[in-house]
């Protein structure tokens, strides 16, 4: 990973925060980023049977250490862990004086050297400064002056904008244009309100997605699999085709919301013959996934069962018990085999589940833990599915979803396909393949899974992105982000509650520092080259690299956390390089959510290009193209894979904000002129991505949307 904004792969002397390990708990251990390329990755969970410790005190009595050794089939790692290491969460970072004192105490440091869980630092380190020195003289790209003309945008009604697009097509797809959590639910709700849009279907993937919608009474509903049109009377909502479902979780988390609200869903919601996510799929996810790489919803394991044709579908639960029993026995072999390989007992698995839930977020449900404890696991599952699904009068009706969608369209009705995740999280995209979800969540994947005749029916895609503070969760490269994707998880920060309120709490001061000092020539077009300087922000809790400060402040101030995992999202600049590919493949229409956040920014940054720079001078060969230091990757160029993107740095165009003319729904009267800064932002995005911005979100409510006249 690059080092422009954080300690990163090249910093071998980090004093960043790490986790505590004890002889009874090893869930926090992960290899440092610097070791990932040349070593076999360690599982994030380890059996105590593989753990041996001994305590030693050095001669000077300076520190207490544990020698911890892990043995796995192909790797053995020994680390030294301090007795007084913090247990979890963000700790107060050392001040610059502390750094200097540490540097002058090398002998003591050598005696008490510890291996950290990550090489990331909260402060600006020497490697970051070296990278900036190499890039600061980069000649400004002519594109930084584009667009030469700022378009004027005006507000129109939904009927003059969105409804015209709906009426010209048969299939409307709402798809994420970045890395998920873009705010697609509001657009889905707006489309679903059209009178001719009678069918709303969730297609592909499972409960690892999350959409938030509100009914007319202002009640909030959080759906993972249930389509967002479920709250509208007269609409038919379908789950499938090619969705995967944990039916027990679906009833406990989603259907219960409808029952509690008094909403009769029996004539609104229908479920197809979905693949079933079982408790052992979720446990396989827990035991086998790298840190921060999974929502722990069993997605990769259940898709593995599907590909191997070993799993079960919903029809199996409603039919012959003997067939169900045999298929469960066969499919469970993978889980039982993993326990043998890792030498884990049922008690060990239960302990790991409870550790995962120890911060109050129920990531592993009670019935999954009960399955891990059960002696007769197949019998447990059959009883579970009989009780919670087959014999449950509250379980929704079933149908052939593909047939129903096709029949509706032949009657002249409109079908809305609600996409999970996003274009760049699709496992069909080779650029981010190692950090994607387990299904094809592009618009093409939605249309293919629905099996609608694309030669007979006209389709359109509404791409959704979020700005400012474009965000993603999970692992992987993201050149436009303020910090690397695993920055929070590397510090073992699992939820926003692990970020103390006093740390980087002054969002106003931090964003001002970013745009004033991080881009020192922002007001001089001849000198501004878009490279962010590694300046620091200081508050009462310590010194922070400005990227780290902005990442923490954005996550807290905007409430950016995963809809499913509750993990802090990593925010950054709007990325025109990635967005250009999305629009070139999925069509021109773009809706931008949460744009009222711009009311609080002095300036808004937009990534218009990347520059490749590896401090070690290494080149990367991607699809036959060799990337070397100084290479520019522009919007419209081929997007390289993560092996190159880890070493790409954003070239950021800055646009003046619109503080004096806010667009938030609570502060703005409809049909008033849009501020110039906003118009310049939209013009810039359209210029570099070839998109057409259809609408912008300006508040939390479902109708807080400004539709634009082109």
């Amino acid at each position: 990973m690059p080092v422009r904004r954080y300690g990163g792969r090249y910093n071998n002397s980090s004093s960043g925060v790490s986790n505590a390990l004890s002889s009874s708990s090893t869930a926090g251990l992960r290899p440092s980023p610097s070791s990932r390329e040349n070593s076999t990755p360690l599982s994030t969970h380890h059996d105590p049977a593989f753990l041996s410790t001994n305590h030693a005190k050095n001669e000077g009595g300076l520190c207490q250490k544990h020698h911890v050794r892990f043995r796995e089939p192909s790797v053995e790692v020994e680390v030294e862990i301090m007795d007084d290491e913090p247990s979890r969460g963000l700790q107060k970072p050392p001040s610059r004086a502390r750094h200097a004192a540490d540097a002058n105490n090398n002998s003591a440091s050598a005696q008490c050297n510890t291996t950290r869980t990550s090489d990331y630092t909260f402060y600006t380190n020497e490697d970051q400064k070296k990278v900036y020195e190499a890039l600061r003289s980069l000649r400004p790209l002519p594109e930084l002056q584009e667009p030469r003309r700022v378009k004027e945008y005006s507000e129109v009604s939904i009927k003059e904008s969105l409804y015209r697009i709906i009426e010209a097509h048969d299939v409307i797809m709402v798809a994420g244009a970045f890395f998920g959590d873009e705010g697609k639910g509001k657009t889905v709700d707006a489309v679903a309100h059209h009178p001719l849009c009678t069918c709303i279907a969730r297609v592909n993937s499972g409960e690892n997605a999350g959409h938030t919608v509100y009914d007319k009474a202002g009640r909030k509903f959080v759906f993972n699999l249930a389509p967002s049109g479920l709250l509208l009377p007269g609409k038919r909502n379908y789950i499938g085709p090619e969705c995967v479902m944990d039916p027990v979780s679906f009833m406990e988390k989603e259907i219960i919301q409808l029952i509690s609200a008094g909403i009769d869903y029996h004539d609104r919601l229908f479920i197809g013959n979905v693949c079933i996510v079982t408790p052992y799929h979720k446990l396989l996810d827990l035991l086998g996934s790298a840190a921060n790489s999974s929502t722990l919803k069993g997605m990769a394991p259940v898709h593995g069962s599907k590909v191997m044709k070993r799993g079960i579908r919903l029809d199996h639960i409603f039919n012959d018990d003997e067939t169900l029993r045999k298929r469960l026995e066969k499919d469970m072999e993978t889980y039982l085999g993993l326990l043998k390989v890792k030498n884990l007992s049922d008690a060990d698995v239960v302990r790991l589940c409870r550790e995962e839930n120890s911060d109050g977020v129920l990531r592993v449900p009670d019935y999954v833990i009960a399955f891990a404890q059960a002696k007769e696991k197949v019998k447990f599952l059959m009883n579970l599915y009989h009780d919670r699904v087959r014999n449950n009068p509250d379980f929704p009706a079933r149908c052939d979803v593909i047939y129903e969608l096709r029949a509706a369209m032949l009657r002249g009705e409109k079908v809305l396909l609600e996409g999970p995740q996003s274009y760049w999280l699709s496992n069909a995209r080779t650029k981010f393949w190692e950090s994607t979800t387990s299904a094809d969540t592009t618009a093409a994947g939605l249309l293919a899974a629905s099996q609608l005749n694309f030669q007979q029916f006209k389709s359109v895609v509404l791409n959704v992105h979020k700005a400012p503070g474009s965000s993603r969760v999970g692992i992987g490269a993201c050149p436009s982000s303020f910090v690397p994707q695993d920055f929070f998880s590397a510090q073992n920060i699992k939820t926003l509650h692990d970020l103390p309120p006093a740390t980087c709490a002054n969002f106003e001061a931090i964003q001002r520092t970013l745009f004033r000092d991080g881009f020192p020539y922002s007001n001089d077009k001849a000198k501004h080259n878009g490279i962010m300087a590694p300046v620091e922000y200081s508050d009462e809790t310590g010194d922070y690299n400005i990227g780290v400060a902005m990442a923490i402040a954005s996550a807290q101030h905007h409430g950016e956390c995963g809809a499913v995992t509750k993990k802090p999202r990593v925010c950054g600049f709007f990325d025109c390089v990635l967005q250009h590919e999305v629009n070139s493949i999925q069509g021109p229409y773009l809706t931008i959510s949460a744009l009222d956040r711009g009311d609080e920014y002095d300036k808004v940054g937009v990534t218009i290009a990347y520059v490749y720079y590896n401090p070690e001078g290494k080149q990367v060969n991607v699809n036959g193209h060799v990337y070397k230091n100084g290479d520019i990757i522009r919007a419209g160029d081929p997007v390289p894979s993560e092996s190159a993107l880890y070493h790409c740095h954003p070239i950021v165009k800055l646009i003046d904000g619109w503080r004096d003319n806010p667009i938030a729904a609570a502060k703005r009267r409809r049909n008033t002129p849009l501020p110039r800064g906003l118009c310049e932002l939209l013009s810039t995005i359209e210029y570099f991505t070839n998109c057409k911005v259809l609408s912008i979100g300006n508040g939390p409510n479902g109708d807080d949307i400004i539709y634009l006249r082109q």
Side-chain angles (χ1 to χ4, degrees):
M1 297 182 183
V3 294
R4 54 188 162 84
R5 296 156 292 173
Y6 47 88
R9 177 169 292 166
Y10 310 104
N11 176 27
N12 296 319
S13 58
S14 166
S15 56
V17 179
S18 63
N19 305 327
L21 293 180
S22 68
S23 58
S24 61
S25 174
T26 64
L29 182 67
R30 288 187 292 277
S32 68
S34 60
S35 67
R36 289 176 187 162
E37 291 183 337
N38 300 315
S39 64
T40 303
L42 288 175
S43 167
T44 56
H45 303 282
H46 297 269
D47 175 29
F50 289 118
L51 176 65
S52 62
T53 65
N54 63 79
H55 300 273
K57 199 166 189 176
N58 64 28
E59 294 179 358
L62 293 174
C63 62
Q64 187 80 16
K65 297 184 288 188
H66 301 296
H67 292 276
V68 184
R69 175 170 294 168
F70 291 100
R71 296 189 305 277
E72 293 208 353
S74 61
V75 64
E76 182 169 318
V77 178
E78 182 170 349
V79 297
E80 294 179 347
I81 305 299
M82 296 288 291
D83 259 348
D84 59 352
E85 286 271 60
S87 60
R88 186 165 63 80
L90 179 63
Q91 308 298 315
K92 181 176 179 178
S95 66
R96 186 158 301 285
R98 166 74 179 277
H99 300 325
D102 289 345
N104 293 328
N105 195 17
N106 289 333
S107 59
S109 296
Q111 287 179 308
C112 196
N113 182 37
T114 63
T115 300
R116 303 288 180 168
T117 57
S118 91
D119 287 338
Y120 300 148
T121 59
F122 288 90
Y123 59 92
T124 300
N125 57 63
E126 292 303 316
D127 287 316
Q128 290 172 280
K129 295 176 183 178
K130 291 177 182 178
V131 171
Y132 178 67
E133 288 302 316
L135 296 178
R136 66 182 302 176
S137 59
L138 182 72
R139 180 176 299 178
L141 300 181
E143 292 93 328
L144 285 167
Q145 309 305 320
E146 301 292 350
R148 302 289 176 173
R149 184 179 70 86
V150 175
K151 294 173 60 176
E152 292 186 4
Y153 298 82
S154 58
E155 183 177 4
V156 296
S157 69
I158 188 173
K159 292 183 179 180
E160 296 175 277
S161 176
L162 178 63
Y163 279 13
R164 288 184 177 180
I165 295 174
I166 295 173
E167 289 159 6
H169 297 85
D170 304 303
V171 184
I172 299 91
M173 291 174 276
V174 177
F178 201 48
F179 289 93
D181 294 328
E182 299 98 344
K184 296 181 288 292
K186 184 182 290 189
T187 299
V188 169
D189 185 63
V191 175
H193 272 81
H194 192 285
L196 292 179
C197 185
T198 59
C199 301
I200 301 95
R202 262 297 308 274
V203 181
N204 270 350
S205 200
E207 64 173 325
N208 53 329
H211 296 167
T212 301
V213 293
Y214 296 83
D215 66 3
K216 290 185 177 180
R219 294 178 296 184
K220 178 181 177 180
F221 295 81
V222 179
F223 295 141
N224 301 110
L225 264 174
S228 298
L230 193 53
L231 304 180
L232 301 178
K235 306 293 182 178
R236 300 189 303 281
N237 296 264
Y238 302 93
I239 297 177
E242 294 311 303
C243 284
V244 295
M245 170 190 281
D246 178 344
V248 179
S249 175
F250 180 68
M251 296 301 295
E252 289 187 351
K253 292 173 57 181
E254 301 189 56
I255 294 300
I256 191 63
Q257 296 181 68
L258 302 174
I259 294 174
S260 299
I263 296 175
D264 185 0
Y265 55 88
H266 289 91
D267 61 346
R268 300 186 193 180
L269 179 60
F270 305 89
I271 302 177
N273 194 21
V274 294
C275 288
I276 299 300
V277 181
T278 68
Y280 56 79
H281 288 125
K282 292 188 172 182
L283 292 175
L284 282 168
D285 210 350
L286 175 69
L287 298 173
S289 297
N292 202 37
S293 67
S294 173
T295 58
L296 303 183
K297 302 301 180 183
M299 293 299 101
V302 74
H303 281 90
S305 293
K306 176 183 171 184
V307 171
M308 296 294 291
K309 295 174 283 190
R310 294 173 55 153
I312 63 172
R313 288 185 178 265
L314 189 58
D315 278 358
H316 289 117
I317 295 177
F318 283 87
N319 285 287
D320 180 57
D321 279 350
E322 184 62 19
T323 300
L324 175 62
R325 182 185 64 79
K326 289 181 178 179
R327 294 191 70 89
L328 287 172
E329 286 178 346
K330 185 68 174 177
D331 197 33
M332 204 184 302
E333 290 175 353
T334 303
Y335 171 71
L336 298 177
L338 182 65
L339 297 191
K340 288 185 178 180
V341 169
K342 288 183 171 287
N343 195 25
L344 292 172
S345 66
D346 287 345
D348 294 328
V349 175
V350 170
R351 175 180 55 78
L352 292 171
C353 292
R354 288 174 175 162
E355 287 177 1
E356 193 64 41
N357 294 340
S358 62
D359 62 349
V361 178
L362 191 66
R363 298 181 183 87
V364 185
D366 291 338
Y367 63 89
V368 175
I369 298 176
F371 165 82
Q373 294 173 314
K375 298 299 182 183
E376 299 183 50
K377 298 189 185 305
V378 172
K379 182 179 180 180
F380 174 91
L381 288 180
M382 294 186 68
N383 290 337
L384 180 72
Y385 292 141
H386 285 172
D387 180 53
R388 306 286 187 91
V389 182
R390 188 162 81 179
N391 299 326
N392 187 350
D394 292 326
F395 196 80
R398 299 182 298 132
C399 74
D400 185 330
V401 174
I402 294 173
Y403 175 85
E404 293 295 332
L405 295 180
R406 188 165 60 246
M409 297 179 68
L410 290 174
R411 294 192 298 266
E413 301 171 23
K414 310 289 185 181
V415 168
L416 167 59
L417 301 182
E418 181 177 1
Q421 285 89 39
S422 65
Y423 177 89
W424 289 113
L425 279 182
S426 168
N427 70 354
R429 302 273 66 77
T430 59
K431 312 298 176 60
F432 293 89
W433 181 70
E434 291 183 346
S435 60
T436 62
T437 187
S438 304
D440 185 358
T441 53
T442 63
L446 304 183
L447 191 60
S450 65
Q451 299 182 40
L452 297 173
N453 189 333
F454 61 87
Q455 293 179 312
Q456 181 180 7
F457 303 114
K458 293 180 63 178
S459 62
V460 66
V461 182
L462 305 179
N463 299 290
V464 184
H465 200 137
K466 181 192 298 177
S470 300
S471 65
R472 71 167 292 189
V473 293
I475 60 174
C478 190
S480 293
S481 63
F482 297 131
V483 293
Q485 282 308 120
D486 62 343
F487 182 86
F488 288 122
S489 62
Q491 318 303 332
N492 208 13
I493 297 168
K494 298 173 70 175
T495 74
L496 287 173
H497 296 298
D498 293 329
L499 294 169
T503 303
C504 299
N506 192 338
F507 176 81
E508 169 68 18
I510 293 170
Q511 68 86 25
R512 185 182 302 119
T513 302
L514 169 68
F515 294 116
R516 181 192 62 210
D517 302 336
F519 298 95
Y521 299 110
S522 60
N523 295 319
D524 187 339
K525 293 184 178 181
K527 294 183 178 180
H528 175 68
N529 65 359
I531 302 298
M532 189 170 75
V535 298
E536 293 214 332
Y537 169 81
S538 299
D539 63 16
E540 62 186 21
T541 66
D543 303 324
Y544 301 87
N545 172 268
I546 189 59
V548 173
M550 194 65 185
I552 295 173
S554 298
Q556 294 189 118
H557 187 69
H558 296 317
E560 281 288 349
C561 65
V564 173
T565 65
K566 306 305 178 186
K567 296 173 184 175
R569 298 186 184 118
V570 174
C571 297
F573 303 110
F574 187 100
D575 194 320
C576 289
V577 180
L578 296 184
Q579 186 65 47
H580 184 282
E581 178 170 321
V582 175
N583 284 113
S584 66
I585 292 175
Q586 297 193 163
Y589 295 116
L590 176 65
T591 178
I592 304 176
S593 66
L595 199 47
D596 53 308
R597 291 177 179 176
D599 294 351
E600 301 180 278
Y601 287 74
D602 289 344
K603 294 181 182 293
V604 178
V606 178
T607 298
I608 65 163
Y610 308 146
V611 55
Y612 178 89
Y613 184 81
N614 184 324
E616 298 175 359
K618 293 182 179 179
Q619 300 178 354
V620 178
N621 190 321
V622 178
N623 289 327
H625 182 94
V626 177
Y627 291 90
K628 59 185 182 300
N629 285 352
D631 283 353
I632 303 297
I633 302 168
R634 293 173 167 83
D637 289 345
V639 176
S641 65
E642 286 184 307
S643 57
L645 291 175
Y646 277 128
H647 305 287
C648 286
H649 308 257
I651 296 176
V652 181
K653 175 182 172 65
L654 297 181
I655 297 166
D656 289 336
W658 50 88
R659 283 178 174 273
D660 296 335
N661 192 1
I663 66 169
K667 301 178 181 179
R668 176 183 179 271
R669 296 177 61 182
R670 285 195 177 275
N671 297 311
T672 56
L674 297 174
R676 176 176 173 78
L678 173 61
C679 290
E680 184 177 356
L681 172 64
L682 299 179
S683 296
T684 300
I685 291 173
E686 289 193 341
Y687 177 86
F688 285 102
T689 68
N690 289 333
C691 76
K692 294 181 180 179
V693 180
L694 178 67
S695 63
I696 56 177
N698 69 329
N701 299 318
D703 58 352
D704 290 340
I705 301 176
I706 300 174
Y707 294 95
L708 303 174
R709 185 191 306 278
Q710 290 291 322

